[in-house]
Amino acid sequence: MQENAYEKMNIQWFPGHMTKAQRMIEENVKLVDAVCEILDARIPNSSRNPDIDRLAAGKPRLIILNRCDLADKDVTDAWVKYFTAHGLKVMQTDAKSGKGVNGFARSVRELLADKLKDYAAKGQATRPLRVMILGIPNVGKSTFINKVAGRKAAAAGDKPGVTRGKQWINIDKGLDLLDTPGILWPKFDSQEVGELLAITNAIKSDVLDRETLGANFMLRLCRMYPKALEERYKIVPDPEMNGYELLEQAAKKRGFLVSRGEYDIERMANTLLSEYHDGKLGRLSLERPND
Ligand code: G4P
């Protein structure tokens, strides 16, 4: 697949509240013992805050690969190896069903074992550990926190870009979480990152050209998971075709006709994006550690 077959998309994201949220994190990181980054298991690199090393200011870190129910299992395992090799503790979760979430408190205690020993030595054995939860909008932060807390502690919803103020959530006697607003970095330098965030719904879809996004996504899938396209849309992904031609092929198979001989590419683009969102194309990861 030729790189230049991808259409240029202008995805920029500069809302003031994101900068405010970033500042809020910087100010509050000193209040916590550890930082927990919730990432989208399908795009662990693009869903990571590139500023995290500075923001986390040397605190112990835990990585949660969430939405692992939608990601390619082998690729997620490769990401676990990758992050572990970089000295980070990693968990895989599906916060929607709650799978993997149970191990969270134990992982935090393992991560902060030295701190717990310290507290015990000072006679502060009941002092709770405090963990900041970080993640881009819509990655599943509220769902995760609610599952860990066993109650509705944070508002969940599919509203990219909607931020909340910070709040402390008491999990049990030994653990408090600091929920922060979902933040996206103020600017994307890379079209690749912007597109992956848009495909996975971290960026509001109504500010985007969905047709171009869908066409570029088709090309990406044709390169990474041609079998999934064949099975779902009964098309033969031809590497010579551009994304619009692939969408048109799929629209034909679906019978998305606008007029005689003309097919509804935009409807097909929306269908592709929403079916990916719902996991109907299978478990597909869009980033691999060695990319
Ligand atoms: P946020 O706080 O980070 O902004 O995210 P939130 O918890 O509100 O979750 C956003 C959506 O993602 C919710 O869906 C939630 O159910 C879903 N979600 C969270 N974790 C997972 C996961 O591990 N796997 C899957 N498949 N979904 C997850 P929603 O608002 O009900 O809509 P929809 O996205 O399910 O259609």
Side-chain angles (χ1 to χ4, degrees), residues 66-67 69-70 93-96 136-143 156-158 164 277:
N66 191 41
R67 291 184 192 261
D69 56 308
L70 297 174
T93 60
D94 162 4
K96 199 166 180 168
I136 57 171
N138 216 34
V139 74
K141 256 163 18 89
S142 314
T143 312
D158 197 354
R164 300 173 297 269
H277 173 74

